[in-house]
């Protein structure tokens, strides 16, 4: 039995906690809506409103340059940097406006099975990036096992972990190891070095293929020419009998079944291991709840995830969000927003759109998140857990400055790179779509309503926290004394800048 | 992304306002200024014993990804060297190609500067460094090294605990006790006290935005009012309710506090300093920045930086014109590291501080004795570390692991003969002047079982 939160207990704080963890940059309105559903229809209905919502990823089609048919290299303008910034913009838009929980899980899987631009971009293999990210979003609320099967055929992953060059005569265990350690079972998941070796052998022979179209010999880039396939060359495959995780897979002979299913059979066996359920549950708990998951609960949920849900994500998330442990007071407001959470928080709190690609990419980059360049195959530092590493001193300053992009309409805090885009960043206008009236009623901007304005800003930006009366006094004094030479609008913008630089705004 | 400009008009606001308010602030915060070409030296030490005056300066360089130690410190003519040549038919480097050390070992030919430092008596090589029952995971081992605990506990790092020890009371924590040139705060620097040392990759970014950059604020307004209001609000906040909130607040406060110093430093030092004989690479630029901070009397006693790219599963080498495997990614990484260390040591000697410097390199693990099928090597276990500095006793430390088939562990990996925590202990005790018991407590070891390796004078 897993103890669930009851309808009688449901209150606004529960709604706020649920919203803040499932919805990037959850707003006051979203919390209220969730609270109302829970109050009138029960906790399960509130959770279902998040978990049950379908996403049509077709609303976020690949940009028209994704398959490279129109250009010879490097994306829409021939500049790799320009294409990268457009790719990152495409990704951020989905995190910002797609089904919130779907987006949150999309980000989770981009981190769980990250691919790196390093081996890909010099080959202009954009197509692999789109295919891989598409796989992650398709399974964001789908099936974990199917996702990992897909990953083993993802061109992006095959380049990132050398799987495309792993063969019987040229064995490379990079993919085999990370499949066990990072993707499915975890470092203490019960496998041995022998299992790593034999898993690597089982995944020999997979190849990516680049055919040059006849009329474009230097354009190894087209849609239908970047397929992933199994080679006809049988000698590339390690056909010997091998034992992996206690099961012996017989020798393969030509003509006996589909040899391309060799790795797939091993994959199915990996998903028979108990750790294949508990490892993802452990990681999801750290991502959504707290850095030290309760062992007993993880074991129970892991067992259900594997044996009852057959690795379907939705019922697992539902269990997590209905459990009493999720709502434990010590878990609330106790997680530092990661870079994307923070960026989306800025967009939603200020009611603005994503900045143009040439600004979105460096903004995320200096928050510590280049989605095409994970620091390692383990993904970004602490996407799960408390997230301390997102707030090193340099990043703390950058986060304090980022809202100025809209509030001060400046790009003065972004470093200038000459080769960042095809244009110089100095020629790029800061976004001009922020308007105070979109978030604050006009009458509250009058100086005589300062108290009410501070209340409103507090509720808007820090819905889970109330500033103290002493802090309020500092704000009032600053507003009346220090800001006296500023016009009314600028004063309000400065107050917003202060609220968004408070440590409470860094947490969810 | 491409090379960053040292400074630009957009990056540096007009001087007057920032400088005036910095002087106010620095007096309020009690920073004593030393002399630097007649202007304020923001980094200058406040008291004796800090790095800024005459204390030790430790530079840790983490070779991320698992350096192939056997092709770094090469066993070309030892008793079991035939096994090195047997198991690395493509990768092995011949005796005559190595830079000679002693005892049948030689350095990779890309390590010319290191050989110079060996010859001048400034390089100690610690061989066979690892840990009991190792594991071949990057991520586990990375945390093991950073935390100095075999379970890879991510609660705090060994250097973070050293900072806690050095800044014994909460109020006295100085962010400049250590500086890592990373964009994300690393585990090695993580304190137990939720205080934070400086994490700074791009000094130009290291400031709270001034109004002067704004399109819409009046330029004559001293925009540091907003910063002052924020700092006051943070000072007034209730602490102790949630550790994560305390961490976030400490981090933001420390950032504001250090940003003024860093920006003043940038204004007062020439971007062209020190003379640029550092390689134009990430590690080269990081070491050059560090040399620049040290030159102004930085208070930091520990610097930490990362050189990425050592995970050489594939195409670790490229053959040269003579068909020898002396070029390619591993050679480039070593050459880059070697040039950066060489330039740094030259600069420290020029500054007269080489005797106060220790540089330590490490990697989370070494690689297999046997090469793999894709011109690379897979994850292995024990390997060699470099320790350099004016006060280092040159020589070989730790027993070089046996390559014999029977002595191998984990599918053809070298077993360790020396525990990595012995290296840490030696540095903390013999260089950072801690007592054996304080060093042991920081490293979470029993001092008796982890003897000092005695590579420091």
């Amino acid at each position: 039995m897993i103890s669930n939160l009851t309808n009688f207990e449901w209150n606004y704080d529960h709604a706020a906690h649920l919203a803040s963890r499932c919805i990037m940059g959850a707003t006051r309105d979203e919390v209220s809506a969730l609270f109302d559903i829970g109050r009138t229809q029960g906790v399960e209905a509130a959770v279902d409103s998040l978990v049950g919502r379908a996403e049509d990823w077709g609303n976020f089609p690949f940009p028209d340059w994704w398959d490279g048919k129109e250009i010879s290299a490097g994306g829409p303008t021939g500049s790799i940097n320009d294409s990268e910034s457009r790719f990152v913009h495409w990704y951020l838009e989905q995190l910002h406006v797609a089904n919130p929980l779907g987006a949150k899980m999309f980000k989770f899987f981009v981190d769980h099975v990250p691919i790196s631009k390093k081996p890909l971009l010099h080959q202009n293999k954009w197509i692999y990036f789109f295919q891989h990210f598409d796989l992650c979003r398709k399974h964001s609320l789908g099936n974990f096992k199917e996702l990992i099967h897909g990953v083993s055929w993802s061109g992006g992953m095959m380049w990132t972990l050398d799987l495309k060059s792993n063969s019987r005569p040229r064995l490379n265990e990079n993919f085999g190891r990370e499949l066990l350690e990072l993707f499915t079972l975890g470092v203490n998941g019960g496998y041995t070095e022998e299992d790593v070796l034999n898993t690597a052998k089982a995944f020999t022979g997979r190849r990516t293929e680049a055919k040059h179209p006849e009329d474009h010999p230097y354009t190894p880039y087209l849609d239908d020419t970047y397929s992933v396939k199994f080679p006809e060359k049988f000698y590339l495959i390690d056909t010997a009998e091998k034992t992996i995780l206690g099961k012996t897979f017989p020798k393969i002979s030509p003509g006996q079944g589909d040899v391309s299913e060799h790795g797939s059979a091993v994959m199915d066996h990996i998903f028979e291991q108990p750790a294949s359920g508990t490892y993802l549950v452990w990681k999801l708990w750290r991502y959504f709840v707290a850095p030290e998951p309760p062992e007993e609960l993880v074991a129970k949920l892991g067992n259900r995830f594997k044996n009852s849900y057959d690795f379907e994500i939705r019922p697992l998330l539902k269990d997590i969000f209905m459990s009493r442990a999720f709502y434990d007071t010590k878990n609330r407001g106790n997680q530092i927003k990661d870079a994307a959470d923070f960026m989306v928080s800025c967009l939603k709190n200020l009611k603005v759109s994503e900045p143009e690609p040439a600004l979105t990419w460096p903004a995320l980059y200096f928050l510590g998140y280049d989605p095409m360049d994970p620091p390692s195959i383990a993904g970004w530092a602490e996407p799960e857990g408390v997230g301390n590493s997102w707030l090193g001193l340099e990043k703390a300053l950058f986060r304090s400055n980022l809202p100025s992009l809209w509030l001060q309409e400046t790009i003065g805090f972004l470093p200038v790179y000459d080769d960042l885009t095809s244009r110089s960043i100095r020629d790029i206008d800061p976004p001009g779509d922020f308007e105070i009236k979109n978030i604050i009623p006009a009458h509250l901007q009058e100086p005589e309503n300062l108290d009410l304005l501070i209340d409103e800003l507090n509720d808007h930006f820090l819905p889970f926290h109330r500033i103290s009366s002493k802090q309020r006094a500092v704000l009032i004094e600053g507003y009346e004394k220090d800001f006296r030479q500023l016009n009314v609008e600028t004063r309000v913008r400065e107050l917003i800048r202060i609220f968004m630089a408070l440590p409470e705004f860094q947490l969810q | 992304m491409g090379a960053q400009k040292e400074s630009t008009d957009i990056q540096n606001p007009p001087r007057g306002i920032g400088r005036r308010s910095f002087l106010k602030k620095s007096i309020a915060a009690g920073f004593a200024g030393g002399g630097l070409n007649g202007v304020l030296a923001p980094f200058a030490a406040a008291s004796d014993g800090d790095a800024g005056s005459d204390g030790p300066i430790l530079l840790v360089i983490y070779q991320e990804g698992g350096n192939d130690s056997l092709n770094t410190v090469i066993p070309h003519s030892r008793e079991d060297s035939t096994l090195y040549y047997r198991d690395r038919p493509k990768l092995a480097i011949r005796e005559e190609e190595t830079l000679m050390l002693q005892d049948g070992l030689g350095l990779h030919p890309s390590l010319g500067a290191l050989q110079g430092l060996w010859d001048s008596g400034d390089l100690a090589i610690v061989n066979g460094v690892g840990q009991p029952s190792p594991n071949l995971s990057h991520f586990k081992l990375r945390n093991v090294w950073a935390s100095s605990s075999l379970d890879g506990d991510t609660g705090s790092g060994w250097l973070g605990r050293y900072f806690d020890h050095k800044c014994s009371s909460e109020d006295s924590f100085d962010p400049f006790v250590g500086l890592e040139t990373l964009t994300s705060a690393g585990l090695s620097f993580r304190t137990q006290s939720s205080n934070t040392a400086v994490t700074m990759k791009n000094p130009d970014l290291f400031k709270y935005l001034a109004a002067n950059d704004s399109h819409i604020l009046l330029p004559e307004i001293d925009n540091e009012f907003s910063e002052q209001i924020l700092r006051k609000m943070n000072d007034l906040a209730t602490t102790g309710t949630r550790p994560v909130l305390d961490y976030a607040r400490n981090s933001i406060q420390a950032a504001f506090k250090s940003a003024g110093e860093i920006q003043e430093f940038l204004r007062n030092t020439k971007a062209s300093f020190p003379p640029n004989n550092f390689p134009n690479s990430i590690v080269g630029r990081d070491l050059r920045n560090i040399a620049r901070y040290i030159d102004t009397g930085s208070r930091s006693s520990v610097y930490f930086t990362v050189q990425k790219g050592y995970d050489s599963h594939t195409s670790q080498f490229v053959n040269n014109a003579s068909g020898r495997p002396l070029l390619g990614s591993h050679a480039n990484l070593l050459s880059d590291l070697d040039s950066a260390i060489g330039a740094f040591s030259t600069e420290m000697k020029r500054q007269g501080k080489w005797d106060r410097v220790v540089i330590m390199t490490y990697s989370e693990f070494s690689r297999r004795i046997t090469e793999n099928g894709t011109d690379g090597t897979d994850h292995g276990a024990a390997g060699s570390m470099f320790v350099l500095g004016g006060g280092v006793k040159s020589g070989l430390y730790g027993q070089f692991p046996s390559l014999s088939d029977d002595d191998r562990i984990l599918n053809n990996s070298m077993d360790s003969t020396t525990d990595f925590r012995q290296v840490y202990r030696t540095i903390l005790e013999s260089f950072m002047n801690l007592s054996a018991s304080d060093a042991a407590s920081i490293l979470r070891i029993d001092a008796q079982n982890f003897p000092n390796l005695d590579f420091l004078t």
Side-chain angles (χ1 to χ4, degrees):
Chain A
M1 266 308 276
I2 292 168
S3 172
N4 283 344
L5 192 73
T6 63
N7 295 340
F8 301 107
E9 294 167 282
W10 178 257
N11 62 30
Y12 189 85
D13 290 343
H14 294 131
H17 180 58
L18 180 62
S20 78
R21 296 299 168 91
C22 294
I23 305 174
M24 284 184 246
T27 62
R28 196 170 29 164
D29 293 347
E30 285 166 325
V31 173
S32 298
L34 209 52
F35 171 60
D36 284 342
I37 298 173
R39 189 171 50 88
T40 55
Q41 301 166 50
V43 179
E44 185 169 2
V47 170
D48 276 341
S49 73
L50 294 163
V51 176
R53 207 172 125 189
E55 181 59 79
D56 181 3
W57 293 105
N59 292 331
F60 305 94
F62 294 170
D64 53 13
W65 51 273
W66 81 286
D67 58 4
K69 280 181 178 156
E70 290 174 14
I71 31 113
S72 57
T77 62
S79 148
I80 284 183
N81 284 338
D82 202 25
S83 305
E84 279 195 71
S85 56
R86 281 164 196 260
F87 180 87
V88 171
H89 186 266
W90 170 80
Y91 174 59
L92 177 65
E93 187 190 13
Q94 293 165 75
L95 300 187
H96 180 197
V97 297
N99 164 6
L101 189 59
K104 191 96 183 174
M105 283 302 300
F106 180 19
K107 172 162 70 78
F108 175 85
F109 281 132
V110 165
D111 179 89
H112 185 70
V113 286
I115 58 170
S116 167
K117 69 184 179 186
K118 291 191 183 90
L120 289 171
L121 286 203
H122 69 282
Q123 305 271 351
N124 291 326
K125 293 184 177 62
W126 281 102
I127 207 156
Y128 289 153
F129 259 100
F130 283 107
Q131 286 169 344
H132 189 84
F133 275 57
D134 192 39
L135 185 70
C136 289
R137 66 180 185 176
K138 197 168 101 192
H139 288 292
S140 59
L141 291 171
N143 188 287
F144 176 51
K145 186 174 163 182
E146 285 176 32
L147 168 71
I148 303 299
H149 268 290
V151 163
S152 74
W153 290 105
S154 156
M157 186 58 79
M158 292 173 74
W159 277 77
T160 299
L161 285 183
D162 305 320
L163 184 55
K164 55 135 185 77
S165 42
N166 180 33
S167 64
R168 186 185 61 76
R170 296 165 68 84
L171 193 69
N172 180 318
E173 63 178 46
N174 205 1
F175 177 81
R177 174 179 305 282
E178 305 309 4
L179 172 64
L180 296 171
E181 177 184 327
L182 294 177
F183 302 161
T184 58
L185 302 181
V187 71
N188 299 316
Y191 58 87
T192 63
E193 281 304 312
E194 213 53 30
D195 293 327
V196 170
L197 183 69
N198 286 332
T199 302
K201 288 179 178 172
F203 282 89
T204 45
R206 298 188 180 200
R207 287 290 177 272
T208 56
E209 185 185 47
K211 273 190 218 143
H212 299 268
E214 282 169 17
D215 50 340
H216 289 92
Y218 300 107
T219 315
Y221 196 86
L222 301 184
D223 193 358
D224 47 356
T225 58
Y226 260 89
S227 57
V228 171
K229 65 157 204 170
F230 215 71
E232 294 80 28
K233 300 181 179 100
F234 204 75
Y235 74 91
L236 292 175
I237 304 156
D238 188 310
T239 56
E241 176 185 285
K242 46 186 85 70
T243 300
I244 298 169
L245 294 162
K247 179 173 176 177
T248 301
F249 294 82
K251 180 176 168 28
I252 309 166
S253 308
Q256 278 186 349
D258 183 356
V259 289
S260 74
E261 291 305 312
H262 191 38
S264 303
V266 170
M267 185 81 87
D268 286 340
H269 181 59
I270 292 171
F271 277 94
E272 293 293 318
Q273 309 306 306
S276 65
T278 49
Y279 174 61
L280 196 78
V281 170
W282 178 82
K283 214 171 154 182
L284 283 171
W285 192 272
R286 285 166 58 85
Y287 183 69
F288 280 109
V289 197
E292 284 165 13
E295 275 178 36
E296 200 183 332
L297 185 62
V298 167
K300 280 181 188 167
L301 287 171
N303 183 40
R304 273 194 202 177
F305 181 47
K306 172 177 165 298
N307 296 324
S308 308
Y309 303 151
D310 198 17
F311 300 101
E312 284 291 321
I313 302 282
R314 281 176 199 275
L316 170 65
L317 291 182
K318 186 167 170 176
D319 282 353
I320 290 175
F321 301 141
M322 289 186 63
S323 72
R324 185 181 301 281
F326 174 79
Y327 295 95
D328 193 304
T329 48
K330 73 175 188 303
N331 295 334
R332 296 190 206 160
N334 217 7
Q335 187 180 56
I336 292 173
K337 292 170 181 170
D338 70 19
D341 291 333
F342 183 79
M343 181 65 154
V344 173
S345 291
C346 291
L347 301 178
K348 288 176 69 172
N349 274 284
L350 295 174
K351 295 197 176 159
V352 292
S353 333
E354 307 81 44
E356 70 163 282
L359 294 175
T360 288
W361 181 41
L364 277 174
Y365 178 90
F366 287 108
L367 288 170
Y369 189 52
D370 182 349
M372 306 183 75
D373 191 18
S376 77
I377 189 62
W380 285 265
E382 288 187 281
E384 58 277 324
V386 292
N388 288 9
S389 62
W390 293 107
L391 265 190
L393 300 199
E394 181 170 314
K395 290 205 188 112
L397 286 164
F398 191 79
R399 284 190 180 202
S400 306
N401 287 328
L402 184 61
S404 293
L405 196 59
W406 300 277
L407 294 168
Q408 294 185 297
E409 296 183 15
T410 178
I411 56 168
F413 60 95
L414 281 172
V416 178
Y417 285 94
D418 280 349
D419 56 353
L420 185 65
T421 64
S422 50
R423 290 172 293 164
S424 164
I425 196 168
R426 275 165 289 200
D427 301 332
I428 297 171
D429 289 330
D433 58 342
F434 172 69
E435 293 195 48
I436 295 174
K437 68 174 163 45
N438 291 345
I439 61 169
I440 308 285
H443 69 278
L444 291 185
Q445 295 181 43
E446 300 302 324
E448 64 268 24
N449 287 333
L450 180 58
D451 255 325
L452 293 172
L453 174 67
I454 291 175
D455 282 342
E456 180 70 13
L457 292 174
N458 189 155
D459 288 353
H460 182 87
F461 289 101
L462 311 172
F464 322 123
H465 176 79
R466 181 145 292 269
I467 61 169
S468 71
S469 56
K470 283 181 184 166
Q471 290 175 312
R472 171 183 291 262
V474 170
L475 270 182
I476 291 173
E477 191 196 351
Y479 182 93
E480 290 176 344
K481 238 174 72 187
D482 300 338
F483 295 165
R484 66 184 179 282
Q485 296 170 67
L486 304 174
N487 64 37
V488 169
E489 171 167 347
T490 309
R491 289 187 196 189
V492 177
R493 284 177 184 248
E494 279 299 280
L495 286 181
I496 295 173
R497 212 159 78 91
I498 289 170
F499 269 100
M500 293 178 81
L502 284 172
E504 288 80 3
F505 189 71
Q506 307 300 329
L507 303 181
Q508 58 194 14
Chain B
M1 293 208 174
Q4 187 176 344
K5 288 196 164 182
E6 286 292 344
S7 66
T8 68
D9 293 343
I10 291 179
Q11 286 301 307
N12 283 336
R15 284 193 174 198
I17 291 168
R19 178 164 171 75
R20 189 192 57 219
S21 0
F22 171 74
L23 286 168
K24 273 189 303 200
K25 264 189 307 191
S26 55
I27 290 160
F31 294 130
L36 173 75
N37 304 328
V39 294
L40 190 74
F43 274 92
S47 63
D48 288 346
D50 281 323
S53 49
D54 56 2
I57 301 169
L58 172 65
L59 167 60
V60 179
I61 304 173
Y62 167 34
Q63 300 169 277
E64 187 186 280
N67 175 41
D68 184 14
S69 184
L70 266 184
N71 267 21
T72 307
V73 178
I74 296 155
H76 54 71
S77 40
R78 293 169 55 83
E79 218 172 43
D80 52 10
S81 290
T82 48
L83 299 173
Y84 169 73
Y85 292 100
R86 180 195 73 185
D87 290 342
R88 295 190 161 206
K90 286 180 169 177
L91 256 84
I93 294 174
R94 292 177 188 149
E95 177 179 357
E96 63 273 22
E97 292 161 343
T98 68
L99 305 174
M100 302 307 277
L101 295 169
Q102 64 186 48
D103 298 356
L105 297 173
L107 288 172
H108 189 282
S110 297
L111 297 173
L114 258 60
Q115 198 204 19
L117 289 162
W118 170 266
D119 292 342
S120 62
D122 294 335
L123 169 62
I125 299 176
V126 191
N127 292 312
V129 184
Q131 50 287 118
S133 5
N135 161 300
L136 302 188
S137 156
H138 290 294
F139 314 104
K140 176 80 189 266
L141 263 291
R142 182 169 70 190
N143 292 345
V144 167
W145 280 84
S147 63
S148 178
S149 70
L150 295 182
D151 60 1
D153 167 26
T154 55
S156 63
W158 71 287
L159 293 168
R161 293 195 295 274
Y162 167 72
F163 300 151
D164 284 331
H165 173 85
K166 193 152 185 264
C167 308
S168 48
S169 76
E170 182 82 8
D171 293 339
S172 68
F173 194 92
D174 174 5
F176 283 100
V177 65
L179 192 155
E180 53 185 354
T181 62
L182 311 177
T183 52
S184 287
L187 175 58
S188 300
F189 264 39
R190 189 169 298 162
T191 64
Q192 288 178 295
S193 60
S194 85
N195 286 300
T196 10
V198 177
T199 302
M200 178 175 70
K201 186 82 174 171
N202 308 283
D204 285 340
L205 278 180
F206 206 78
K207 62 172 180 175
Y208 187 59
L209 191 62
N212 317 66
D213 294 330
S214 169
H215 291 215
I216 57 170
L217 283 180
L218 301 172
E220 67 270 24
I221 298 301
D222 187 339
N223 188 56
E224 293 187 3
F225 282 133
S226 290
E227 181 178 335
Q228 298 305 335
I229 292 169
L230 271 165
R231 291 173 73 155
K232 276 188 219 161
M233 288 180 76
N234 284 331
D235 283 340
L236 287 169
T238 316
T239 58
T241 52
R242 280 178 288 166
V244 180
L245 181 57
D246 289 347
Y247 170 83
R249 191 180 299 109
N250 283 342
S251 190
I252 288 168
Q253 290 292 73
F256 286 151
K257 194 169 144 189
S258 14
E261 288 195 61
I262 293 290
Q263 290 312 309
E264 190 67 8
F265 155 74
L266 286 180
R267 278 190 284 273
N268 289 335
T269 59
K270 286 191 186 132
S272 58
F273 185 85
N276 194 358
N277 53 351
F278 288 79
N280 185 24
S281 61
I282 293 172
V283 70
R285 285 194 293 271
D286 285 345
L287 260 58
R288 182 163 173 268
N289 275 336
I290 291 170
R292 202 174 148 197
Y293 306 144
I294 291 172
D295 186 63
T296 58
S298 160
R299 298 193 295 278
S300 303
S301 50
V302 180
Y303 296 88
F304 187 97
T305 192
V306 176
Q307 186 196 20
K308 296 186 177 190
Y310 282 94
D311 195 17
S312 52
H313 287 281
T314 305
S315 309
Q316 177 173 331
F317 72 91
V318 171
N319 281 336
N320 65 14
S322 321
R324 299 293 307 140
L326 304 180
L327 305 175
S329 65
H330 189 237
N332 291 341
L333 286 164
L334 292 180
S335 163
D336 187 17
L337 178 69
D338 181 77
S339 317
I341 291 177
F344 186 82
S345 66
T346 304
E347 175 57 23
M348 288 302 104
K349 287 171 191 163
R350 195 194 63 77
Q351 292 182 18
K353 293 173 183 159
W354 181 235
D355 287 345
R356 289 169 42 204
V357 170
V358 160
I359 306 170
M360 180 193 103
T361 67
Y362 78 96
S363 195
E364 66 265 39
F365 47 61
S366 175
R367 308 192 78 83
R368 297 285 160 80
I369 300 167
T370 45
E371 63 189 35
N372 71 12
T374 52
D375 298 346
T377 42
D378 292 325
H379 302 181
S384 302
M385 292 170 71
F386 296 128
V387 184
L388 309 99
V392 166
K393 285 192 270 183
S394 202
L396 301 175
Y397 298 83
Q399 195 191 336
F400 201 90
S402 154
L403 301 184
S404 92
D405 293 327
D406 292 341
D407 293 330
R408 298 178 185 192
I409 58 167
L410 299 170
N411 282 334
N412 293 305
S413 302
M414 286 185 283
D415 199 357
S416 64
T417 59
T418 310
D419 194 285
F420 72 109
R421 292 162 292 181
Q422 289 181 259
V423 181
Y424 289 177
R425 179 209 165 150
T426 308
I427 288 174
L428 288 182
E429 189 181 353
S430 303
F431 181 60
M432 312 297 272
N433 304 316
L434 263 55
S435 68
S437 63
D438 283 344
S441 142
I442 285 169
L443 299 174
R444 297 178 167 165
I445 53 173
D446 174 357
Q448 284 185 329
N449 299 332
F450 296 83
N452 189 310
L453 293 167
D454 199 28
F455 51 68
L456 288 157
T457 51

